[in-house]
Amino acid sequence: MKKLILPLILLNMIGGIGSAIMLWLSNGELLWLGTLLTTLPLPFLLIVLTNVFGIARTSARLPIIHLLSICGVILVGRSVYHAQELVESSLYVALLLAIFGAIFIQWFIWSYSSYGREKSKAIVKGQPLAELQFTRLDNSKASSLSFNGSKTLLVFFRANWCPFCMNQLKEVLARAELLSRLGVQVKFISNQGIELSKQLTENLSLPAHFEILQDDDLTSAKALGIADIGGTPAGMSAYPEDTVMATVITLDEKGIVTFGDETDNYRVRPHPDTFLPVFS
């Protein structure tokens, strides 16, 4: 079911746009305002706000989206009740849209957004990180032991297709100068493939102390217990089927973990201000 997230979001978007058109054509009929509130807000958040405003995180339960959905259901229910009989096909359509939109929002918030992950036994503050193996974009190999000697920030991200991940990387990149002054090496890590990561490197114009690493077959992610098997949405044929659970780890010069964030909600990411102080 989780792999169908993209078509489900698209269906809600189409339903919301259709509701907006009907709201205009009906001169503001509350029935269509209700379906608009149950279908459009969540796709608008995920597609428009993340891309236009660069949102890197949201609240876990999206209370405003919840409230809009409840108001929409109430408006549709009121309109159907006062219609007395479902004699018009538009009432059936509106009712189905509202039910679909309301159920989708609950599923998205309570099921899809959660990884259901267990806390990693390999990411322990004050303990050394186990040796991990990566591939650089020039196909050379890199061991996490080679990071020793400098402070290191590891950001495991899902792939280029994830807007929250891309905004998170840009958020870290915006602090490149500070990270340089603190002597921090930054590693963005995924298993999406070297060519896609090269494209990302060019798009982000990464400075010298930033690097994108390839985690072949999720070997390192599996060692850390942060692999998300089958986590890539359907329709992303250019990407591997498996991905990672968004994770942030900071290491000191000796490879000791100084911070670890293992969010269980892909929309809830640590703000850089929460982990940058460990490098001071």
Side-chain angles (χ1 to χ4, degrees):
M1 181 67 175
K2 286 190 174 185
K3 295 188 74 66
L4 299 178
I5 183 65
L6 293 182
L8 289 174
I9 290 174
L10 181 59
L11 284 174
N12 272 273
M13 178 66 83
I14 293 173
I17 293 173
S19 297
I21 293 173
M22 291 302 298
L23 180 64
W24 178 67
L25 292 176
S26 64
N27 295 315
E29 190 173 332
L30 292 180
L31 173 71
W32 296 109
L33 176 60
T35 60
L36 178 67
L37 294 177
T38 58
T39 54
L40 191 60
L42 185 55
F44 184 80
L45 167 69
L46 297 176
I47 297 175
V48 178
L49 296 185
T50 53
N51 288 286
V52 175
F53 295 102
I55 293 175
R57 65 192 55 79
T58 69
S59 61
R61 302 308 175 200
L62 300 175
I64 295 178
I65 301 293
H66 252 135
L67 179 61
L68 292 175
S69 176
I70 292 171
C71 291
V73 169
I74 291 173
L75 288 176
V76 172
R78 178 183 178 278
S79 298
V80 171
Y81 175 78
H82 286 291
Q84 295 182 351
E85 295 183 11
L86 296 178
V87 294
E88 296 183 24
S89 59
S90 61
L91 288 173
Y92 283 107
V93 172
L95 185 59
L96 288 174
L97 282 175
I99 292 173
F100 172 68
I103 292 175
F104 174 73
I105 287 172
Q106 297 303 313
W107 171 80
F108 176 82
I109 292 174
W110 297 101
S111 178
Y112 179 81
S113 296
S114 174
Y115 291 125
R117 77 197 294 180
E118 297 180 1
K119 189 171 179 60
S120 171
K121 297 178 180 179
I123 306 172
V124 181
K125 185 177 179 180
Q127 297 295 318
L129 196 67
E131 182 179 6
L132 305 174
Q133 299 295 330
F134 304 105
T135 300
R136 291 195 163 93
L137 300 191
D138 62 2
N139 281 303
S140 63
K141 301 300 180 181
S143 165
S144 60
L145 295 181
S146 67
F147 306 157
N148 292 356
S150 65
K151 304 168 190 175
T152 307
L153 170 61
L154 308 179
V155 182
F156 287 84
F157 68 100
R158 302 203 288 176
N160 294 0
W161 54 260
C162 174
F164 287 101
C165 294
M166 295 300 99
N167 292 337
Q168 181 186 33
L169 301 190
K170 293 173 183 176
E171 198 173 54
V172 173
L173 181 59
R175 289 155 176 81
E177 184 177 345
L178 172 60
L179 288 163
S180 179
R181 290 201 306 267
L182 293 172
V184 179
Q185 298 292 317
V186 181
K187 313 294 182 183
F188 294 155
I189 304 165
S190 80
N191 69 316
Q192 67 178 348
I194 288 177
E195 291 306 314
L196 289 167
S197 291
K198 284 181 178 179
Q199 294 175 19
L200 181 59
T201 300
E202 294 176 1
N203 292 338
L204 296 179
S205 299
L206 295 182
H209 58 299
F210 279 66
E211 181 180 21
I212 297 181
L213 297 175
Q214 168 75 8
D215 183 10
D216 294 316
D217 300 319
L218 291 175
T219 301
S220 295
K222 290 174 181 176
L224 294 175
I226 63 172
D228 186 14
I229 305 303
T232 300
M236 297 293 179
S237 58
Y239 296 88
E241 182 178 359
D242 303 324
T243 183
V244 300
M245 293 181 274
T247 305
V248 175
I249 305 170
T250 66
L251 306 174
D252 66 11
E253 295 91 338
K254 297 180 180 180
I256 303 297
V257 176
T258 54
F259 174 91
D261 182 88
E262 303 173 61
T263 179
D264 191 45
N265 187 316
Y266 89 97
R267 293 178 285 101
V268 181
R269 314 291 181 96
H271 193 281
D273 291 345
T274 65
F275 55 79
L276 288 183
V278 305
F279 293 124
S280 301

